[in-house]
mmCIF file of all heavy atoms in Angstrom:
data_model
loop_
_atom_site.group_PDB
_atom_site.id
_atom_site.type_symbol
_atom_site.label_atom_id
_atom_site.label_comp_id
_atom_site.label_asym_id
_atom_site.label_seq_id
_atom_site.Cartn_x
_atom_site.Cartn_y
_atom_site.Cartn_z
ATOM 1 N N PHE A 17 4.383 0.167 -5.537
ATOM 2 C CA PHE A 17 3.832 0.634 -4.270
ATOM 3 C C PHE A 17 4.760 1.724 -3.757
ATOM 4 O O PHE A 17 5.936 1.470 -3.495
ATOM 5 C CB PHE A 17 3.739 -0.523 -3.277
ATOM 6 C CG PHE A 17 2.923 -0.220 -2.054
ATOM 7 C CD1 PHE A 17 1.682 -0.801 -1.872
ATOM 8 C CD2 PHE A 17 3.383 0.647 -1.072
ATOM 9 C CE1 PHE A 17 0.909 -0.527 -0.744
ATOM 10 C CE2 PHE A 17 2.631 0.927 0.059
ATOM 11 C CZ PHE A 17 1.396 0.334 0.218
ATOM 12 N N LEU A 19 5.548 4.481 -0.844
ATOM 13 C CA LEU A 19 5.291 4.911 0.527
ATOM 14 C C LEU A 19 5.762 6.348 0.681
ATOM 15 O O LEU A 19 6.958 6.637 0.569
ATOM 16 C CB LEU A 19 6.028 4.007 1.520
ATOM 17 C CG LEU A 19 5.959 4.429 2.998
ATOM 18 C CD1 LEU A 19 4.524 4.405 3.510
ATOM 19 C CD2 LEU A 19 6.852 3.526 3.848
ATOM 20 N N GLY A 25 9.353 2.733 10.872
ATOM 21 C CA GLY A 25 8.339 1.809 11.362
ATOM 22 C C GLY A 25 7.363 1.404 10.270
ATOM 23 O O GLY A 25 7.040 0.233 10.112
ATOM 24 N N ARG A 26 6.892 2.379 9.494
ATOM 25 C CA ARG A 26 5.972 2.080 8.398
ATOM 26 C C ARG A 26 6.650 1.209 7.344
ATOM 27 O O ARG A 26 6.053 0.273 6.812
ATOM 28 C CB ARG A 26 5.450 3.369 7.774
ATOM 29 C CG ARG A 26 4.549 4.168 8.699
ATOM 30 C CD ARG A 26 3.967 5.408 8.035
ATOM 31 N NE ARG A 26 3.132 6.120 8.991
ATOM 32 C CZ ARG A 26 3.355 7.360 9.412
ATOM 33 N NH1 ARG A 26 4.396 8.037 8.951
ATOM 34 N NH2 ARG A 26 2.551 7.929 10.290
ATOM 35 N N LEU A 27 7.893 1.538 7.042
ATOM 36 C CA LEU A 27 8.630 0.748 6.060
ATOM 37 C C LEU A 27 8.796 -0.685 6.543
ATOM 38 O O LEU A 27 8.619 -1.640 5.775
ATOM 39 C CB LEU A 27 10.002 1.387 5.818
ATOM 40 C CG LEU A 27 10.914 0.670 4.820
ATOM 41 C CD1 LEU A 27 10.269 0.572 3.453
ATOM 42 C CD2 LEU A 27 12.259 1.392 4.739
ATOM 43 N N ARG A 28 9.090 -0.851 7.812
ATOM 44 C CA ARG A 28 9.275 -2.191 8.381
ATOM 45 C C ARG A 28 7.967 -2.985 8.346
ATOM 46 O O ARG A 28 7.966 -4.180 8.026
ATOM 47 C CB ARG A 28 9.806 -2.076 9.808
ATOM 48 C CG ARG A 28 10.159 -3.408 10.449
ATOM 49 C CD ARG A 28 10.971 -3.205 11.710
ATOM 50 N NE ARG A 28 10.304 -2.355 12.686
ATOM 51 C CZ ARG A 28 10.680 -1.103 12.967
ATOM 52 N NH1 ARG A 28 11.689 -0.549 12.331
ATOM 53 N NH2 ARG A 28 10.035 -0.405 13.890
ATOM 54 N N VAL A 29 6.854 -2.334 8.670
ATOM 55 C CA VAL A 29 5.548 -3.012 8.623
ATOM 56 C C VAL A 29 5.281 -3.564 7.227
ATOM 57 O O VAL A 29 4.870 -4.712 7.054
ATOM 58 C CB VAL A 29 4.417 -2.052 9.047
ATOM 59 C CG1 VAL A 29 3.052 -2.629 8.681
ATOM 60 C CG2 VAL A 29 4.476 -1.791 10.547
ATOM 61 N N LEU A 30 5.521 -2.738 6.210
ATOM 62 C CA LEU A 30 5.270 -3.165 4.829
ATOM 63 C C LEU A 30 6.210 -4.287 4.408
ATOM 64 O O LEU A 30 5.786 -5.279 3.790
ATOM 65 C CB LEU A 30 5.402 -1.983 3.881
ATOM 66 C CG LEU A 30 4.259 -0.963 3.924
ATOM 67 C CD1 LEU A 30 4.607 0.267 3.100
ATOM 68 C CD2 LEU A 30 2.956 -1.597 3.406
ATOM 69 N N ARG A 31 7.477 -4.151 4.723
ATOM 70 C CA ARG A 31 8.440 -5.184 4.327
ATOM 71 C C ARG A 31 8.148 -6.514 4.992
ATOM 72 O O ARG A 31 8.257 -7.574 4.360
ATOM 73 C CB ARG A 31 9.859 -4.718 4.644
ATOM 74 C CG ARG A 31 10.391 -3.683 3.650
ATOM 75 C CD ARG A 31 11.791 -3.231 3.998
ATOM 76 N NE ARG A 31 12.355 -2.407 2.916
ATOM 77 C CZ ARG A 31 13.473 -1.705 3.042
ATOM 78 N NH1 ARG A 31 14.145 -1.705 4.191
ATOM 79 N NH2 ARG A 31 13.919 -0.995 2.018
ATOM 80 N N GLN A 32 7.754 -6.474 6.253
ATOM 81 C CA GLN A 32 7.416 -7.717 6.945
ATOM 82 C C GLN A 32 6.150 -8.349 6.376
ATOM 83 O O GLN A 32 5.925 -9.546 6.520
ATOM 84 C CB GLN A 32 7.249 -7.451 8.442
ATOM 85 C CG GLN A 32 8.558 -7.135 9.154
ATOM 86 C CD GLN A 32 8.374 -6.763 10.608
ATOM 87 O OE1 GLN A 32 7.273 -6.439 11.060
ATOM 88 N NE2 GLN A 32 9.455 -6.789 11.364
ATOM 89 N N ALA A 33 5.334 -7.522 5.704
ATOM 90 C CA ALA A 33 4.094 -8.019 5.100
ATOM 91 C C ALA A 33 4.265 -8.313 3.604
ATOM 92 O O ALA A 33 3.279 -8.470 2.888
ATOM 93 C CB ALA A 33 2.973 -7.011 5.307
ATOM 94 N N GLY A 34 5.501 -8.354 3.145
ATOM 95 C CA GLY A 34 5.754 -8.792 1.786
ATOM 96 C C GLY A 34 5.850 -7.718 0.722
ATOM 97 O O GLY A 34 5.934 -8.027 -0.468
ATOM 98 N N ILE A 35 5.836 -6.446 1.125
ATOM 99 C CA ILE A 35 5.920 -5.360 0.149
ATOM 100 C C ILE A 35 7.184 -4.543 0.399
ATOM 101 O O ILE A 35 7.438 -4.094 1.516
ATOM 102 C CB ILE A 35 4.685 -4.435 0.229
ATOM 103 C CG1 ILE A 35 3.438 -5.192 -0.221
ATOM 104 C CG2 ILE A 35 4.882 -3.181 -0.627
ATOM 105 C CD1 ILE A 35 2.156 -4.395 -0.118
ATOM 106 N N ASP A 36 7.985 -4.363 -0.649
ATOM 107 C CA ASP A 36 9.177 -3.534 -0.558
ATOM 108 C C ASP A 36 8.904 -2.267 -1.364
ATOM 109 O O ASP A 36 9.121 -2.227 -2.574
ATOM 110 C CB ASP A 36 10.388 -4.277 -1.126
ATOM 111 C CG ASP A 36 11.690 -3.535 -0.836
ATOM 112 O OD1 ASP A 36 11.699 -2.673 0.065
ATOM 113 O OD2 ASP A 36 12.688 -3.821 -1.522
ATOM 114 N N PRO A 37 8.410 -1.226 -0.707
ATOM 115 C CA PRO A 37 7.943 -0.045 -1.443
ATOM 116 C C PRO A 37 9.070 0.873 -1.896
ATOM 117 O O PRO A 37 10.185 0.836 -1.366
ATOM 118 C CB PRO A 37 7.067 0.670 -0.414
ATOM 119 C CG PRO A 37 7.753 0.369 0.882
ATOM 120 C CD PRO A 37 8.251 -1.060 0.743
ATOM 121 N N LEU A 200 1.038 2.402 10.228
ATOM 122 C CA LEU A 200 0.354 2.021 8.995
ATOM 123 C C LEU A 200 -0.488 0.788 9.267
ATOM 124 O O LEU A 200 0.047 -0.271 9.610
ATOM 125 C CB LEU A 200 1.366 1.745 7.875
ATOM 126 C CG LEU A 200 0.793 1.434 6.497
ATOM 127 C CD1 LEU A 200 1.680 2.025 5.399
ATOM 128 C CD2 LEU A 200 0.677 -0.079 6.274
ATOM 129 N N LEU A 202 -2.259 -2.321 8.395
ATOM 130 C CA LEU A 202 -2.327 -3.296 7.300
ATOM 131 C C LEU A 202 -3.767 -3.660 6.938
ATOM 132 O O LEU A 202 -4.101 -3.711 5.746
ATOM 133 C CB LEU A 202 -1.534 -4.559 7.663
ATOM 134 C CG LEU A 202 -0.012 -4.419 7.649
ATOM 135 C CD1 LEU A 202 0.620 -5.726 8.112
ATOM 136 C CD2 LEU A 202 0.493 -4.043 6.268
ATOM 137 N N VAL A 205 -5.225 -0.663 4.950
ATOM 138 C CA VAL A 205 -4.611 -0.513 3.631
ATOM 139 C C VAL A 205 -5.064 -1.639 2.701
ATOM 140 O O VAL A 205 -5.288 -1.420 1.506
ATOM 141 C CB VAL A 205 -3.073 -0.475 3.747
ATOM 142 C CG1 VAL A 205 -2.418 -0.553 2.371
ATOM 143 C CG2 VAL A 205 -2.638 0.801 4.460
#
Side-chain angles (χ1 to χ4, degrees):
F17 192 109
L19 174 63
R26 293 184 181 118
L27 179 59
R28 185 167 56 252
V29 166
L30 287 171
R31 284 179 171 169
Q32 290 175 344
I35 293 177
D36 190 18
L200 184 144
L202 287 176
V205 171

